[in-house]
Amino acid sequence: MKKLIKNNVDWVGKIDWELRTFHGEEFSTHSGSSYNSYLIREEKTVLVDTVWLPYAKEFVDNLASEVPLEEIDYIVINHGEKDHSGALTELMQRIPDTPIYCTANAVKSLKGQYHQDWNFNVVKTGDTLDIGNGKELVFVEMKMLHWPDSMATYMTGDNILFSNDAFGQHYACEHLFNDLADPCRLEREAIKYYANILNPFNKILKKKLDEILALNLEIDIIATSHGVIWRDNPMQIVEKYAAWCRDYQENQITIIYDTMWNGTKRIAEKMAEGIQAEDSETVVKLFNVSKADDNDLATEVFKSRAIAVGSPTVSNSVLRSLSGFLHYLKELKFKNKKGVAFGCYGWSGESPGVIQAMLKDAGFDVSEEVFKVNWNMTGDLEQEAMEFGKKLLKDLED
Ligand code: FEO
C-alpha cells in the first residue's frame, strides 16, 4: 500500500508490526519496525531501496500494482544490508537490466550476498542523476554509517533526504510521519537506535554531519529507511545526532548488577540510596542485567555519566550475564564515562577486579577503588555502601 510523501514521491515499503528482534537476535525491537522504500515519479521513475527478504514477493507485487515494473528507469540502493536490498532478487528477475545506482562498496555487498551481475552504476559523493522536471538526485556517501557501503540520496526540488539507516528508528508507526507519531516512543526508539547501532561511529558521524551541513542543503523531509519520516522540523533529529555523537551524557548514574542471594543487589540499592541522599537531581537507575533487555540497558549506559557494575564472585569470576553485557559495551565504544565495580563474595572475592578489567577494556574511566563485601552487609557496611555511592558522585564533580 502506497502513501504519499510529497508531490510525486510515494512510500511503498512495509511496516513490520511483528518484528521483535533485528540483526538476528541482537537487537530488541519492542515497537516493531518498517522497511521504507520510496517510488519517485518525475519524468524518470526511480525506486529508492527495497524491503527485507521475507516481504520481497509482497513488495514487488504491490509495486507492480502501482507502476508497470518496466517503467522503472533507475533503482537506488543506499545500503546493501538485507533489510533494504532483500527484495532485489525478486524485482530484478522481472526487470533484469534496470540500472542500480549504489556505492562501490555496495556493489561488493550486493554481489557477495546475491551473486548476481546486475547493471551496477557506481556513484560517489556529489554525483548527480537527472530525473526530469528540473529535479536531480544527489548522492552522498555515508561510509561507516553504519556500513562501508552506506549512502544517502538527496532529491532537489522537493528537498527530500533519503537517509537510509541514519536518523531511523525501529518503530512500526501507522501514520509514517514524526508529527503523527507517539513522541515518547519515537524519542525512545530513536535514541536506542543511535546508542546501539551508530554510537561506535561517533567520530565519523560528527565529520559527516558537518559535511552535510556545509552543503547547505535545504531539507524539507528526511525520509529514513526505518520508522517515521521526519517532515515536521526535520532538522530536530539532525540536532539530536549532533548532540549524541559528542560523547553524550545526561545527569544519570546507572547501577548494573547480577546477584545470586541478593547480597550484591543489596549493595546496589544502598549505593543508589547514598547517591540520592547526596544529590536528588541525579537520576539513578538500577538494573539486574539478567532481567533487563541488553539494548535498552545499553541505551541507559549511553545516557549515563557513570556506571557502577556489580557481581558476586563465582568460580573466581563474575556471573556470565554480566560478562556478556560488558563485552557488548566494549563493542559500543562509549567514551567519557566513569565506571566503578562492586560485589559480595564468600571465599576469594575476585569479581570487582574482573569487572574493573572488563570496564577498562571497554573504554571506561575506571575508579581504582572497589566495594567488596564478605558475605552479607551489616548496618555499618550498608553505611559504607552508601558512602561508596556518594564517592562516585563526588568523583564525577572533581
Ligand atoms: Fe537497516 Fe543497516 O540496515
Side-chain angles (χ1 to χ4, degrees):
M1 173 131 23
K2 72 166 183 178
K3 295 190 184 190
L4 179 66
I5 302 300
K6 185 177 182 182
N7 297 332
N8 299 319
V9 181
D10 288 301
W11 176 93
V12 288
K14 172 72 185 177
I15 298 179
D16 192 344
W17 293 94
E18 280 192 359
L19 193 78
R20 287 298 174 267
T21 63
F22 187 78
H23 282 159
E25 300 299 315
E26 273 296 287
F27 193 116
S28 60
T29 50
H30 311 310
S31 304
S33 192
S34 68
Y35 318 106
N36 298 338
S37 169
Y38 301 94
L39 184 65
I40 303 169
R41 279 175 282 195
E42 299 295 344
E43 285 174 48
K44 297 291 186 185
T45 299
V46 186
L47 181 73
V48 179
D49 293 324
T50 72
V51 301
W52 186 29
L53 189 62
Y55 301 108
K57 186 163 187 320
E58 175 185 335
F59 167 76
V60 174
D61 287 347
N62 283 342
L63 190 62
S65 69
E66 187 57 38
V67 63
L69 296 179
E70 58 279 6
E71 287 183 14
I72 297 175
D73 296 292
Y74 311 124
I75 298 168
V76 172
I77 293 292
N78 279 323
H79 172 33
E81 197 163 8
K82 272 204 162 62
D83 48 329
H84 309 297
S85 66
L88 264 184
T89 305
E90 180 81 24
L91 182 61
M92 299 310 281
Q93 279 170 1
R94 305 205 207 174
I95 46 171
D97 300 323
T98 309
I100 295 174
Y101 288 77
C102 62
T103 64
N105 277 328
V107 175
K108 291 182 195 167
S109 67
L110 293 171
K111 281 190 174 179
Q113 293 174 99
Y114 304 112
H115 311 289
Q116 298 292 324
D117 205 13
W118 290 319
N119 179 7
F120 293 112
N121 290 255
V122 170
V123 293
K124 49 189 188 324
T125 297
D127 286 353
T128 59
L129 183 62
D130 190 346
I131 55 172
N133 296 330
K135 298 176 185 178
E136 285 186 328
L137 298 181
V138 183
F139 302 107
V140 183
E141 288 169 274
M142 302 279 276
K143 196 171 179 181
M144 295 317 297
L145 299 174
H146 67 119
W147 271 18
D149 69 2
S150 300
M151 73 169 185
T153 300
Y154 177 71
M155 181 179 172
T156 66
D158 287 346
N159 305 334
I160 301 174
L161 181 68
F162 299 100
S163 63
N164 198 260
D165 284 333
F167 312 122
Q169 339 83 44
H170 286 305
Y171 177 13
C173 179
E174 70 279 23
H175 297 305
L176 265 188
F177 295 105
N178 68 307
D179 49 303
L180 302 175
D182 170 346
C184 296
R185 190 174 286 246
L186 176 54
E187 164 79 17
R188 192 171 68 226
E189 296 301 342
I191 196 168
K192 177 177 176 177
Y193 193 94
Y194 189 94
N196 286 273
I197 292 185
L198 292 169
N199 191 74
F201 311 110
N202 267 345
K203 256 190 176 165
I204 300 169
L205 184 75
K206 185 174 172 304
K207 265 181 80 175
K208 184 54 69 175
L209 283 181
D210 290 344
E211 190 185 312
I212 291 173
L213 291 172
L215 292 174
N216 272 327
L217 299 174
E218 205 174 316
I219 296 176
D220 293 342
I221 290 177
I222 297 179
T224 66
S225 61
H226 295 293
V228 303
I229 293 159
W230 302 89
R231 70 174 178 188
D232 175 46
N233 182 17
M235 295 311 281
Q236 65 180 287
I237 188 64
V238 180
E239 286 158 17
K240 291 268 187 202
Y241 269 46
W244 291 343
C245 72
R246 287 172 167 78
D247 301 331
Y248 182 72
Q249 294 185 343
E250 295 178 13
N251 186 15
Q252 177 171 330
I253 295 174
T254 302
I255 302 178
I256 300 162
Y257 63 91
D258 201 350
T259 197
M260 292 172 75
W261 299 107
N262 288 340
T264 300
K265 175 183 175 182
R266 192 73 189 134
I267 301 172
E269 288 173 343
K270 283 292 160 187
M271 283 181 66
E273 209 177 305
I275 295 166
Q276 282 168 334
E278 190 72 9
D279 176 14
S280 59
E281 299 286 305
T282 298
V283 173
V284 187
K285 296 186 184 178
L286 285 85
F287 295 92
N288 180 329
V289 67
S290 64
K291 297 181 184 184
D293 176 287
D294 282 350
N295 306 110
D296 292 337
L297 187 49
T299 310
E300 297 297 342
V301 174
F302 176 70
K303 293 193 281 186
S304 298
R305 300 166 72 196
I307 61 173
V309 181
S311 169
T313 296
V314 184
S315 302
N316 309 112
S317 189
V318 298
L319 288 169
R320 66 176 186 273
S321 56
L322 199 67
S323 52
F325 183 69
L326 291 175
H327 177 83
Y328 182 49
L329 288 190
K330 182 181 176 184
E331 286 176 30
L332 297 180
K333 297 186 170 65
F334 291 123
K335 301 259 184 319
N336 194 29
K337 295 186 190 295
K338 284 198 181 295
V340 295
F342 63 94
C344 67
Y345 66 101
W347 310 106
S348 54
E350 290 92 343
S351 62
V354 171
I355 292 167
Q356 276 182 315
M358 293 191 79
L359 282 174
K360 277 181 193 164
D361 191 40
F364 286 77
D365 173 14
V366 181
S367 167
E368 291 306 319
E369 206 177 327
V370 300
F371 191 77
K372 281 167 76 163
V373 172
N374 191 210
W375 301 109
N376 287 339
M377 288 193 290
T378 58
D380 284 352
L381 277 173
E382 286 189 346
Q383 191 59 40
E384 282 183 35
M386 287 177 66
E387 293 304 320
F388 189 66
K390 289 180 189 177
K391 173 81 171 33
L392 172 57
L393 199 58
K394 188 167 180 317
D395 287 349
L396 285 173
E397 281 153 14
D398 290 343

